[in-house]
Amino acid sequence: MSRLRGKTIVITGASSGLGVEIAKQAAAEGARLILLARRSDRLEEVKESIRRTFSTEVYSYSVDISQKEEIENVFMHVLQHVSEIDILVNNAGFGVFSEAHEAKWEETEAMFRVNVLGLIACTQMVIPHMKARGSGHIINIASQAGKMATPKSSVYAATKHAVLGYTNSLRMEMARDGVRVTAVNPGPIATEFFTLADPSGSYVANVGRWMLKPEKVARKVVGAMGTAKREINLPRWMSTGSLIYTLFPRTVERLGRKAFFKK
């Protein structure tokens, strides 16, 4: 019998990419799903597809993760319906690649609202309930960009650095109440993310062969659900690079400058 059977899992950004794959694999384990995303039409398609394939409970709610009031309303409704949330996967996020002096303010603000403030708002909605029960799991999808920033992603990297800082602090706080917190730090994943992040297609053209498959990342995330896993870092070679950067930042920046600008 699956350890996820009967568990209620909330997934943000569940209408495409990694969010869909996490939802599918969690459903295969018998979990009850609450899917959140902005695009209601896509979300409805995902919900019905998972219901047909896995014969499990799936609910969907359209919500703009950049809007705190919408988040509060949706979570209040969800908690009235399911009474408790066992696992929250903060997956919603996006990026726009541009050099710092070219970054548009509206895009900068939107990235922080979704990637950071939205994630915090969703987390704050489940914390009191998980603390009261003395159990739960919060999984935050960060990025290798939160460990090693590169050119043309200054704002995106800043949001993911913020996510990692928040996650690390939250983990220590929640440990007192039996609530687990995991950070997921993937490298580039072959999803729709790059349609917006890299409209020119140059980044995908340069690094496409090294991109992670969303199914593989989802498998790692679902496998960590309910465990004490501190971090998931993918791929291994990129995680090693981030570690080397922490130890020898000047050397990595000097030797890797040309490669970093390929995006």
Side-chain angles (χ1 to χ4, degrees):
M1 191 170 184
S2 170
R3 61 194 165 77
L4 295 181
R5 186 167 301 281
K7 299 293 185 181
T8 300
I9 302 175
V10 174
I11 305 169
T12 70
S15 63
S16 65
L18 180 59
V20 172
E21 292 303 324
I22 294 172
K24 287 179 180 178
Q25 294 187 30
E29 296 287 335
R32 174 169 56 181
L33 302 180
I34 310 293
L35 307 180
L36 307 182
R38 184 171 50 86
R39 294 179 292 182
S40 57
D41 54 340
R42 291 284 297 272
L43 196 58
E44 187 67 20
E45 291 175 10
V46 172
K47 178 183 75 174
E48 292 305 320
S49 175
I50 291 175
R51 273 182 175 172
R52 288 194 304 269
T53 305
F54 301 103
S55 300
T56 191
E57 287 184 80
V58 189
Y59 305 93
S60 65
Y61 298 88
S62 177
V63 57
D64 185 345
I65 296 297
S66 71
Q67 302 299 315
K68 186 172 184 289
E69 185 175 338
E70 287 192 32
I71 291 171
E72 291 174 344
N73 289 337
V74 162
F75 271 88
M76 286 174 62
H77 186 79
V78 167
L79 286 164
Q80 288 173 355
H81 182 66
V82 301
S83 75
E84 62 184 37
I85 294 169
D86 297 292
I87 300 168
L88 168 65
V89 182
N90 281 310
N91 169 70
F94 77 99
V96 178
F97 291 162
S98 62
E99 294 196 26
H101 69 285
E102 297 174 331
K104 297 177 181 178
W105 181 255
E106 58 271 23
E107 292 174 343
T108 296
E109 187 174 44
M111 273 188 272
F112 270 94
R113 283 189 175 277
V114 174
N115 299 2
V116 183
L117 298 179
L119 178 148
I120 292 172
C122 290
T123 302
Q124 287 182 334
M125 293 303 297
V126 303
I127 284 177
H129 305 277
M130 289 184 175
K131 284 171 68 74
R133 282 204 333 269
S135 67
H137 196 170
I138 298 166
I139 301 175
N140 292 335
I141 308 298
S143 171
Q144 286 294 323
K147 294 198 164 191
M148 184 172 70
T150 56
K152 298 176 70 175
S153 60
S154 56
V155 176
Y156 178 72
T159 67
K160 294 304 183 178
H161 273 76
V163 168
L164 277 178
Y166 178 76
T167 304
N168 291 338
S169 178
L170 181 68
R171 183 185 300 109
M172 289 186 279
E173 292 179 10
M174 300 298 283
R176 299 172 301 179
D177 300 288
V179 179
R180 292 161 172 165
V181 178
T182 301
V184 182
N185 303 306
I189 307 173
T191 66
E192 293 178 8
F193 173 91
F194 291 98
T195 303
L196 178 61
D198 174 44
S200 69
S202 60
Y203 183 76
V204 174
N206 286 324
V207 305
R209 57 185 168 176
W210 292 301
M211 282 186 171
L212 294 161
K213 299 295 184 185
E215 299 87 352
K216 178 179 179 180
V217 181
R219 191 157 53 247
K220 293 288 187 180
V221 172
V222 174
M225 289 179 174
T227 74
K229 188 78 171 176
R230 183 182 185 277
E231 282 191 351
I232 297 171
N233 293 288
L234 297 167
R236 184 174 298 177
W237 65 267
M238 188 173 285
S239 177
T240 301
S242 297
L243 177 60
I244 294 172
Y245 177 71
T246 301
L247 299 172
F248 309 104
R250 188 187 300 272
T251 301
V252 173
E253 288 176 0
R254 178 171 54 85
L255 296 178
R257 185 176 294 119
K258 184 176 180 181
F260 292 154
F261 270 100
K262 283 192 174 182
K263 75 152 87 66

